Amino acid sequence: MGEKVVAGTFGLSDRQRHRDKLRQCLTGLERLLEEKRFDRPKNLMGLEIELNLAGPDGMPRMMNGQVLERIASRDFQTELAMFNLEVNIAPHRLGGRVFDRLAEEIRTSLAYAHRKASEVDAGIVMIGILPTLGQDDLVSSNLSDVDRYTLLNDQIVAARGEDFALDIDGVERLVCRSASIAPEAACTSVQLHLQVTPGRFAAVWNAAQAVAAAQVAIGANSPFLFGRELWRESRPPLFQQSTDTRPPELQAQGVRPRTWFGERWVTSAYDLFEENLRFFPPLLPICDDEDPLGVLDAGGVPRLAELVLHNGTVYRWNRPVYGIADGVPHLRVENRVLPAGPTVTDVIANAAFYYGVVRALAEEQRPVWTRMSFEAAAANFDEACRHGIDARLEWPRRGRHGGTAQVDAVTLVRDELLPLAAAGLDAWGVEPADRDFYLGVIEDRCRLRVNGATWQADTFHRALEKGLSREAALAATTRRYGELMHLGEPVHTWPVGLPEPVPLG
C-alpha cells in the first residue's frame, strides 16, 4: 500500500467518518477529471519486483530486516513476510534503449542485494512462489514487523471471522486452512506501471485486461505450493483465497472477492474507484486531516488519502492508481498479473511485450474489447493460470466474419500479439535493437513452449526419477533455479534437470 499506518482499533464512528471521507474523495476525483487537472502525457513507466530470501539449501530465510539493514537503500523495502523484499525501480520514459537500461539497473541492484544477503547466509531468489515454502513458514509470526501488515491481517481476519480455506485443484490438489493472511506472502510478482491521461485510461485498462491471459500463459512461473504441483501460475487462486474476507455464505450469495479480475469493460478511471466504494467495505478506516473538497476549492491538489488507501486493499489484477508528482495529479494503470523471474532478461522481455501490445491494442480502430465479452477475458485469465503456455484462449477472429475462436496461447502470441507489440514499441520510440531482442525472447518461449513453470515442473520430475524424495527434489530444483537465475540467461535456454555430480578423482 505504501502507506505509513499505525496499528490501532477502530470504533463505529471511525468507520462512518471514513466512509464519508471516501465519498468526498470520490467527488474530488470526479472534479479533478471534469476540470482536466491531470498531467499531460510523459510516456512514463515504472517497475516493482517482489523477491524471496532463501539459503544455500534452497529453504526460505526469515530475515528481511537484517538483509535490508545491510542493503541500506531506499530502493529496497519490506514486503508482507520476513522472507520477502521488494525493489522499486525509478520511473523511466518509454523510448530509445529503455529496456536495456532497465535490465542493467535491475541486474546491478539484485547483485548488490544478493551480496548483502549472503553476509547472513541468505540469497535473493526471483520466482513466483518459492517451491520450498511449507505451511509452517506462512504463519502470522512470520509477517514482517511493520504496523500496516499487522493491522491489515487483523482487519481481514476479523472481516472473515474464521480460518481461510485454501483449495487449489491442479496437477495435484492442495486443501488446507490458515489462521492468517500469511499465505498471500508466497505470491511474489512483478508490477508494471504506465502513466496515462484520463482520456486514454479506459482504453489502456481494457487492453491490459484483454491481454492479461496471454501475459500469464507465456510468463507463468509458480507451479508449486506446500510441496504440491498445482496450476502453472498458482499465485492468482492463492492470492484470492488467502485474502478472502467472505465466509462461505457470502461466497454462495455471489459477493465479490477483494482479489478479482473485474466484471466489465470500463469507460473511465472513475468507474473503478466508484466500484471500490460500492462493493468493498474499508479494511483500514484511517482518516487523514485533509479536506479534499476544500483543497480543490482553494485551487490545490488533494492527496485523496482515504481513496488511495482503500484502493490499495482491493486487489485487482490491473489496478487504477492515483498519484501526485511535482504537485500535479496523474493516473497510472498498474499491471499485477506477472510472477517475478525467472531472470532479469525474462522480466524485461515480459515488460516489453506488455508495453508494446497494450499501446497497440488501445489504439486499434475496432478495439478487442468491442469484439470479445468481458466474461471471455476473465475465463481466458483462469485458463492461462491453470495451463500456462499450453492454455487455449478465446480471441476475436480476424477478418470480416467476426466472432471469436479458441486458439493456442502460443499461436495467438506468436502470430498476432507479437507483431502488435512490435508496432506498439515502435510507436513508443523504442530502438529496434531493444524491440527485437526482448520480443525475440518471447518468440523463443513460444517456439519451444518453455517458461519458468515448465522448467520447474520438468526439473522437479527429473529429480524424482533420479530417486530423490519430493522434499529433496523441490529443494534441489530451487537451488538449481537460483544458480541459473543469477547466471542470467533467459529461461528458454536453461537445461532441464539437475547437473550431474562431478566424479571424484
Side-chain angles (χ1 to χ4, degrees):
M1 293 173 299
E3 289 291 329
K4 302 289 186 190
V5 301
V6 179
T9 56
F10 303 112
L12 300 180
S13 61
D14 294 318
R15 294 187 180 278
Q16 185 57 55
R17 179 168 174 251
H18 187 264
R19 182 170 276 113
D20 292 342
K21 282 293 296 286
L22 275 174
R23 292 196 190 103
Q24 292 173 36
C25 287
L26 188 63
T27 301
L29 176 68
E30 187 175 30
R31 279 182 52 181
L32 285 165
L33 290 166
E34 288 172 352
E35 295 169 13
K36 296 182 168 47
R37 297 277 299 277
F38 283 87
D39 203 2
R40 291 184 291 279
K42 289 186 176 173
N43 295 355
L44 285 179
M45 54 84 71
L47 191 66
E48 303 168 68
I49 308 174
E50 295 167 348
L51 307 163
N52 292 278
L53 291 172
D57 56 359
M59 306 305 288
R61 288 286 192 271
M62 306 295 166
M63 48 176 48
N64 62 2
Q66 294 160 264
V67 173
L68 285 168
E69 192 176 319
R70 283 166 170 77
I71 292 173
S73 165
R74 286 186 296 181
D75 292 343
F76 286 84
Q77 60 190 41
T78 55
E79 253 300 326
L80 183 58
M82 291 181 184
F83 63 89
N84 297 144
L85 299 176
E86 181 175 272
V87 60
N88 296 288
I89 306 302
H92 283 61
R93 192 178 299 276
L94 273 161
R97 300 302 299 271
V98 63
F99 294 115
D100 261 358
R101 290 200 309 275
L102 274 169
E104 187 57 35
E105 277 183 43
I106 297 168
R107 283 193 193 99
T108 301
S109 292
L110 293 188
Y112 173 71
H114 190 61
R115 284 197 306 275
K116 291 299 180 181
S118 69
E119 294 175 6
V120 289
D121 202 34
I124 301 293
V125 182
M126 186 168 57
I127 193 168
I129 296 175
L130 194 66
T132 48
L133 283 169
Q135 280 183 254
D136 291 344
D137 297 315
L138 292 168
V139 292
S140 57
S141 58
N142 284 336
L143 293 178
S144 293
D145 187 20
V146 178
D147 277 347
R148 74 174 183 269
Y149 298 136
T150 303
L151 185 56
L152 186 64
N153 178 66
D154 292 347
Q155 294 298 304
I156 291 179
V157 169
R160 183 175 174 85
E162 59 189 84
D163 285 353
F164 297 88
L166 303 183
D167 186 349
I168 304 173
D169 194 4
V171 177
E172 299 172 303
R173 187 174 184 184
L174 172 71
V175 179
C176 63
R177 304 187 78 80
S178 172
S180 75
I181 66 168
E184 179 202 329
C187 308
T188 41
S189 65
V190 171
Q191 290 134 38
L192 303 174
H193 290 254
L194 179 61
Q195 184 175 325
V196 294
T197 59
R200 286 178 52 81
F201 181 94
V204 170
W205 188 86
N206 289 340
Q209 289 285 93
V211 83
Q215 286 182 272
V216 170
I218 57 174
N221 196 29
S222 315
F224 296 106
L225 178 67
F226 298 163
R228 303 290 175 85
E229 185 178 355
L230 302 173
W231 293 11
R232 283 302 184 244
E233 187 50 50
S234 303
R235 286 168 40 258
L238 173 59
F239 205 110
Q240 177 176 325
Q241 293 176 22
S242 61
T243 59
D244 200 343
T245 55
R246 308 167 304 162
E249 295 81 5
L250 291 184
Q251 294 180 37
Q253 292 175 36
V255 172
R256 296 158 185 84
R258 294 190 85 94
T259 301
W260 71 326
F261 188 78
E263 62 188 18
R264 62 179 176 134
W265 307 117
V266 301
T267 58
S268 165
Y270 180 88
D271 293 351
L272 299 175
F273 287 103
E274 188 275 333
E275 276 185 356
N276 287 353
L277 269 64
R278 186 155 42 98
F279 294 150
F280 302 106
L283 288 175
L284 301 171
I286 300 164
C287 285
D288 190 86
D289 292 334
E290 177 184 75
D291 172 6
L293 301 182
V295 171
L296 269 172
D297 290 340
V301 177
R303 294 187 302 274
L304 307 183
E306 291 82 7
L307 192 75
V308 169
L309 182 58
H310 184 49
N311 184 53
T313 63
V314 178
Y315 304 104
R316 298 177 185 272
W317 295 110
N318 284 292
R319 177 190 272 167
V321 178
Y322 170 87
I324 300 172
D326 301 322
V328 182
H330 66 262
L331 291 172
R332 303 194 302 274
V333 174
E334 180 190 17
N335 177 258
R336 301 157 47 81
V337 306
L338 288 167
T343 66
V344 172
T345 297
D346 288 299
V347 167
I348 298 302
N350 290 340
F353 175 73
Y354 169 75
Y355 288 117
V357 79
V358 160
R359 169 134 189 189
L361 288 175
E363 294 180 351
E364 282 189 319
Q365 285 192 320
R366 289 187 63 220
V368 63
W369 58 92
T370 66
R371 297 180 287 136
M372 180 173 76
S373 71
F374 194 90
E375 291 74 19
N380 282 347
F381 184 68
D382 191 71
E383 165 76 7
C385 292
R386 284 180 182 273
H387 300 294
I389 210 155
D390 294 322
R392 287 182 59 78
L393 307 177
E394 184 177 336
W395 197 256
R397 287 192 186 93
R398 284 186 282 187
R400 56 198 177 108
H401 297 297
T404 61
Q406 291 281 321
V407 60
D408 281 342
V410 292
T411 302
L412 173 64
V413 171
R414 191 180 58 229
D415 294 353
E416 188 164 347
L417 298 183
L418 273 172
L420 284 171
L425 293 179
D426 288 343
W428 287 120
V430 170
E431 288 283 345
D434 263 24
R435 176 198 67 203
D436 294 344
F437 176 77
Y438 290 106
L439 294 186
V441 171
I442 304 297
E443 186 173 16
D444 285 342
R445 277 193 226 151
C446 290
R447 179 173 55 83
L448 298 170
R449 286 183 174 262
V450 170
N451 58 18
T454 65
W455 183 90
Q456 287 186 58
D458 291 348
T459 296
F460 168 72
H461 287 289
R462 292 268 186 98
L464 289 180
E465 289 164 9
K466 284 189 170 184
L468 273 65
S469 68
R470 290 181 72 92
E471 294 76 12
L474 285 168
T477 298
T478 303
R479 291 195 299 272
R480 181 61 172 158
Y481 178 102
E483 292 166 7
L484 294 168
M485 183 208 104
H486 286 289
L487 287 174
E489 292 299 316
V491 73
H492 69 268
T493 68
W494 290 7
V496 171
L498 305 175
E500 294 295 331
V502 177
L504 299 174

